[in-house]
C-alpha cells in the first residue's frame, strides 16, 4: 500500500485543497498586514510588542512554507515529494507550532509582569530582554523539531495521506517517551502557565477597578487600555489552544490505540482545524483594536479619501494594539502650516484616547475654520 496516496475521496481532496488555499491566503495577507503596521509604527513601538511581531512571523512562516505544498498535494490526490519532502513538512509544522505556543506562553508571562503595577510609567521589560525571549522561543522550537530527526521520535504521513507530521501511530513503544515529554513541555505546561497568568491579570484588573471606583466614579484610561489588551491576548491564546486541542487528543488516541480505528475523514478534521490557527490573530487585532483597524484602512491602496488620509496620518497616534501597556499621560498634535494662518496651533488631549477620534475631529474643525477665514469655502 502506498503510504503517500490519499485515503480520501477525490471530491474531499479537492475541497480540502480549496480550504487550505483560503487559509493560506488569509494567513499570508493578515500576518503581512500585522508586520507592515508594526514597521510603520516601529519608532513608537514598546518592547513587549515585539512578541506580537514574533508571533506574526511564526504564523506567516507556517503559511508560506507549508500550505502551498499541502494544497498541491490535495489537488494531486497524493502527497508530493516522497520521504524527503515529508520530513521537511513534518519538521516545519512541528517547528512553527512549538514556536507559536512558546511565544504565546512568553506573551502571557510578560503581560502578567506588566500588569503588576498598572500605574507605573517605567518600562518593566527592556528591549534586550524581549529580544532574548524571542530568540529563546526559536531555539527552543528548533531543538524540539530536530529531536525526531536525531532519532527521538519520528516524522511520517498523516493517516489521510495529504500531509506529514509526527508519526503518532508509530511511536507506541520506541517514541513513547518523546510523545509524553512533548505533550508535557509543549502543550500541558504552556497551557497551565497561560491560564494562570491571565487568571492573575484578571484578578489584578478587578482589584484595580474596585479601588478606582472607590476613589472616584471614573475608570482610569490606563485601566481601560489594560482591559482591552487583556481581552486581545486572552482571545489569541484561547484560540490557539482550542485549535490545537482536538488535534492533540486525536494524536494521543493514535498513540494509545490503533490509529487505523480512526476513519481518515475524522483524522482530517482536527488537522485542518489546527492549520486555521494562523488565520485568526490578525482578525482579532482588526475587530478588537480600533487603532489597528484605522491604520489598516489608511494604507495607500485602501485609502479612498485622500484628505482624511492626510489628516489622520498627521496625527501622532499613541493607540496600542498589541501587548504594550505604557501610555503617555499627555499627547499633542500640531496642524500643518497653511496659508492664511499666522500661527500654528497645538491641540492637547485632556486624556489619552486610543482611537484618536477627538483629536481628528478637532483638527478637521480648525482646518475648516481656517478655510472659511480665507474665503475659500
Amino acid at each position: 500500500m502506498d503510504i503517500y496516496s490519499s485515503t480520501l475521496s477525490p471530491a474531499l481532496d479537492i475541497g480540502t485543497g480549496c480550504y487550505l488555499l483560503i487559509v493560506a491566503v488569509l494567513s499570508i495577507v493578515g500576518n503581512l498586514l500585522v508586520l507592515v503596521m508594526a514597521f510603520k509604527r516601529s519608532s513608537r513601538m514598546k518592547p513587549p510588542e515585539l512578541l506580537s511581531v514574533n508571533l506574526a512571523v511564526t504564523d506567516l512562516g507556517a503559511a508560506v512554507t507549508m500550505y502551498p505544498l499541502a494544497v498541491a498535494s490535495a489537488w494531486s490526490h497524493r502527497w508530493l515529494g516522497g520521504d524527503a519532502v515529508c520530513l521537511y513538512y513534518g519538521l516545519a509544522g512541528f517547528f512553527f507550532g512549538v514556536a507559536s505556543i512558546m511565544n504565546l506562553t512568553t506573551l502571557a508571562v510578560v503581560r502578567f509582569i506588566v500588569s503588576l503595577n498598572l500605574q507605573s510609567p517605567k518600562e518593566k521589560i527592556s528591549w534586550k530582554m524581549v529580544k532574548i525571549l524571542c530568540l529563546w522561543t526559536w531555539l527552543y522550537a528548533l531543538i524540539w523539531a530536530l529531536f525526531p530527526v536525531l532519532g527521538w521520535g519520528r516524522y511520517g504521513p498523516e493517516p489521510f495521506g495529504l500531509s506529514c507530521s509526527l508519526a503518532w501511530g508509530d511511536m507506541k513503544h520506541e517514541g513513547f517517551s518523546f510523545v509524553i515529554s512533548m505533550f508535557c513541555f509543549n502543550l500541558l505546561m504552556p497551557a497551565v502557565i497561560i491560564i494562570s497568568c491571565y487568571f492573575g491579570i484578571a484578578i489584578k484588573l478587578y482589584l484595580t477597578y474596585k479601588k478606582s471606583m472607590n476613589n472616584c466614579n471614573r475608570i482610569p484610561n490606563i485601566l481601560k487600555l489594560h482591559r482591552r489588551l487583556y481581552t486581545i491576548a486572552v482571545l489569541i491564546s484561547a484560540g490557539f489552544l482550542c485549535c490545537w486541542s482536538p488535534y492533540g487528543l486525536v494524536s494521543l488516541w493514535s498513540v494509545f490505540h490503533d490509529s487505523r480505528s480512526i476513519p481518515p475523514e475524522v483524522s482530517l478534521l482536527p488537522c485542518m482545524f489546527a492549520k486555521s490557527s494562523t488565520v485568526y490573530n490578525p482578525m482579532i487585532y482588526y475587530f478588537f483594536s480600533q487603532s489597528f483597524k484605522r491604520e489598516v484602512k489608511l494604507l495607500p491602496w485602501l485609502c479612498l479619501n485622500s484628505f482624511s488620509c492626510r489628516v489622520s496620518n498627521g496625527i501622532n497616534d499613541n493607540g496600542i494594539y498589541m501587548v504594550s501597556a505604557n501610555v503617555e499621560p499627555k499627547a499633542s498634535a500640531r496642524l500643518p502650516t497653511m496659508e492664511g494662518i499666522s500661527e500654528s496651533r497645538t491641540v492637547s488631549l485632556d486624556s489619552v484616547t486610543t482611537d484618536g477620534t477627538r483629536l481628528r475631529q478637532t483638527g478637521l474643525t480648525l482646518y475648516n475654520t481656517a478655510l472659511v477665514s480665507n474665503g475659500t469655502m
Side-chain angles (χ1 to χ4, degrees), residues 94-115:
F94 191 35
F95 171 69
F96 286 114
V98 174
S100 295
I101 187 64
M102 298 314 298
N103 199 91
L104 289 171
T105 305
T106 306
L107 176 63
V109 174
V110 169
R111 288 286 298 119
F112 178 75
I113 294 174
V114 171
S115 69

Side-chain angles (χ1 to χ4, degrees), residues 12-327:
L12 191 54
D13 283 342
I14 295 175
T16 300
C18 294
Y19 168 81
L20 289 175
L21 179 61
I22 295 174
V23 170
V25 172
L26 292 178
S27 299
I28 293 172
V29 173
N31 287 288
L32 275 178
L33 282 177
V34 173
L35 296 179
V36 169
M37 295 299 101
F39 177 77
K40 288 182 62 178
R41 61 188 306 276
S42 57
S43 61
R44 294 174 286 138
M45 185 181 295
K46 302 296 183 181
E49 291 184 84
L50 186 60
L51 291 170
S52 290
V53 177
N54 198 46
L55 183 61
V57 172
T58 61
D59 291 342
L60 181 62
V64 171
T65 61
M66 299 172 58
Y67 296 167
L69 181 59
V71 172
S73 297
W75 288 346
S76 300
H77 309 296
R78 62 174 288 106
W79 177 252
L80 301 177
D83 294 338
V85 179
C86 183
L87 175 63
Y88 153 77
Y89 191 92
L91 188 149
F94 191 35
F95 171 69
F96 286 114
V98 174
S100 295
I101 187 64
M102 298 314 298
N103 199 91
L104 289 171
T105 305
T106 306
L107 176 63
V109 174
V110 169
R111 288 286 298 119
F112 178 75
I113 294 174
V114 171
S115 69
L116 292 178
N117 191 349
L118 300 180
Q119 303 293 342
S120 175
K122 183 180 179 180
E123 292 280 4
K124 303 176 184 63
I125 303 294
S126 65
W127 278 108
K128 181 179 179 180
M129 177 59 66
V130 171
K131 291 177 181 178
I132 292 175
L133 291 175
C134 290
L135 180 61
W136 174 80
T137 60
W138 290 108
L139 291 178
Y140 181 88
L142 180 61
I143 291 172
W144 275 97
L146 289 177
F147 278 148
V149 179
L150 299 176
W152 194 34
R154 182 181 177 185
Y155 292 116
E158 297 277 10
F160 49 86
L162 293 180
S163 67
C164 293
S165 180
L166 291 170
W168 305 104
D170 297 335
M171 294 188 291
K172 298 180 183 296
H173 303 290
E174 295 181 359
F176 186 76
S177 61
F178 172 79
V179 173
I180 298 301
S181 301
M182 192 276 297
F183 270 94
C184 289
F185 290 102
N186 297 317
L187 186 60
L188 182 60
M189 183 184 71
V192 171
I193 293 175
I194 290 172
I195 294 173
S196 300
C197 287
Y198 287 130
F199 184 73
I201 294 173
I203 295 176
K204 178 65 177 180
L205 289 176
Y206 175 77
L207 295 177
T208 305
Y209 171 79
K210 294 291 290 185
K211 183 178 178 180
S212 63
M213 293 304 292
N214 291 334
N215 296 334
C216 61
N217 294 325
R218 182 170 172 269
I219 302 177
N221 289 319
I222 185 65
L223 185 59
K224 295 179 181 178
L225 175 62
H226 274 275
R227 186 170 57 187
R228 182 164 52 254
L229 295 175
Y230 170 77
T231 302
I232 293 175
V234 167
L235 287 174
I236 291 174
S237 300
F240 185 90
L241 293 176
C242 290
C243 283
W244 281 96
S245 293
Y247 182 78
L249 292 176
V250 172
S251 300
L252 277 179
W253 176 272
S254 300
V255 173
F256 291 101
H257 301 81
D258 188 358
S259 59
R260 291 173 296 180
S261 62
I262 304 177
E265 295 80 6
V266 176
S267 64
L268 172 68
L269 293 178
C271 183
M272 296 299 102
F273 193 46
K275 292 183 184 297
S276 67
S277 63
T278 60
V279 175
Y280 59 81
N281 287 350
M283 293 184 177
I284 292 174
Y285 292 140
Y286 187 83
F287 288 110
F288 290 88
S289 174
Q290 295 180 359
S291 60
F292 180 75
K293 180 188 295 187
R294 183 176 62 254
E295 291 179 5
V296 169
K297 291 182 178 179
L298 291 178
L299 290 174
W301 59 85
L302 295 176
C303 193
L304 302 179
N305 190 324
S306 59
F307 172 73
S308 298
C309 287
R310 288 196 301 270
V311 172
S312 298
N313 285 332
I315 296 175
N316 181 21
D317 180 17
N318 285 309
I320 302 170
Y321 58 85
M322 292 186 186
V323 299
S324 178
N326 297 300
V327 182

